[in-house]
Amino acid sequence: MEDMEELNQFFSIVIRDTFDKEGISELLYDMKAEIESKKRYLKTDLESDGAKRYFLIALDENEIVGSIEYGPVSELIVTCTEGVLREGVEVGTVFVHPDYQRRGLGSLLLNLMLLTLQNRGITEFCLDSGYKNAQKVWRKKFGDPDYLLKDYWGESIDHMIWKRKTNDMSLLFHL
C-alpha cells in the first residue's frame, strides 16, 4: 500500500514513453485512460490481497523498474473474441521502465508470471496489444496472434490477441 503512489508514477512514465515511441502522444485522453485503468488494476490487487488481480513488481535497489499482472479478461478481449475468452485470465500491465528496456527484464517477469499461473492451477491465459512495438515482441515470443483485428485503432493500426497454454511455454531465466 505504501508503494502505491510510486507504482502509479511508474505507470505514468512507462505509458507516456510508450505513447511517444508509438507516435501517438497527442492522444491525451487515451493515455490518461490507460494510466487510470492500471491504477484501478493495482487498487483491485491491493484490496483483494491478490485474489482478483495479481501484480509482480521488479525492483532495482528501491526503484520500481518493471511490472506484470494477471486478472480477469478485459471487456475489449471479450468483445473482440465474441465472448470466446470470457472465462479466462489475461496477462497484462507488462511494463519495463524506459531505462531498463531491452535487457531481458520483461522476459524474466513473463517467466515468473507463467510460473505463478502454473502454481495457481491456471492452464491458459491470453494477452493482447494494440501497440506496434509490443506486438513485435509478442509475435517473437508467442508467434502469430489468435485474433488479428485489422485497422482496429485506425488505418494500419491493428489489435492482436494471443491465447496460450501455460505448460506449452518455454521458460528461460537469464538477464
Side-chain angles (χ1 to χ4, degrees), residues 59-95:
L59 299 172
D60 183 11
E61 300 290 325
N62 289 325
E63 182 184 358
I64 297 169
V65 296
S67 70
I68 190 170
E69 59 88 22
Y70 85 86
V73 174
S74 70
E75 277 304 311
L76 175 64
I77 291 176
V78 171
T79 301
C80 291
T81 64
E82 298 178 351
V84 172
L85 301 180
R86 175 184 322 269
E87 300 302 319
V89 299
E90 174 184 1
V91 171
T93 317
V94 185
F95 292 150

Side-chain angles (χ1 to χ4, degrees), residues 16-152:
R16 289 176 197 284
D17 180 68
T18 299
F19 272 60
D20 285 344
K21 288 177 179 169
E22 292 287 324
I24 57 173
S25 56
E26 74 281 358
L27 300 176
L28 296 176
Y29 176 82
D30 295 323
M31 188 185 319
K32 183 174 167 67
E34 179 84 4
I35 293 166
E36 291 303 315
S37 76
K38 301 314 176 193
K39 288 179 179 181
R40 282 192 307 278
Y41 288 179
L42 177 62
K43 188 175 181 198
T44 300
D45 174 359
L46 295 172
E47 289 175 349
S48 72
D49 199 26
K52 294 184 180 173
R53 286 210 177 269
Y54 184 81
F55 272 81
L56 295 174
I57 305 299
L59 299 172
D60 183 11
E61 300 290 325
N62 289 325
E63 182 184 358
I64 297 169
V65 296
S67 70
I68 190 170
E69 59 88 22
Y70 85 86
V73 174
S74 70
E75 277 304 311
L76 175 64
I77 291 176
V78 171
T79 301
C80 291
T81 64
E82 298 178 351
V84 172
L85 301 180
R86 175 184 322 269
E87 300 302 319
V89 299
E90 174 184 1
V91 171
T93 317
V94 185
F95 292 150
V96 175
H97 190 284
D99 295 342
Y100 289 79
Q101 292 176 1
R102 308 244 182 260
R103 296 186 192 179
L105 182 56
S107 294
L108 179 62
L109 285 166
L110 178 62
N111 287 336
L112 290 170
M113 183 55 74
L114 290 171
L115 287 172
T116 299
L117 295 174
Q118 289 172 348
N119 285 336
R120 291 179 173 211
I122 298 169
T123 59
E124 292 184 343
F125 69 96
C126 64
L127 180 141
D128 74 326
S129 181
Y131 301 125
K132 289 181 180 186
N133 290 319
Q135 289 169 350
K136 290 176 190 172
V137 172
W138 299 129
R139 275 185 184 264
K140 185 176 176 183
K141 291 192 178 306
F142 300 138
D144 289 333
D146 296 279
Y147 297 86
L148 174 62
L149 299 116
K150 296 292 288 170
D151 302 325
Y152 187 84

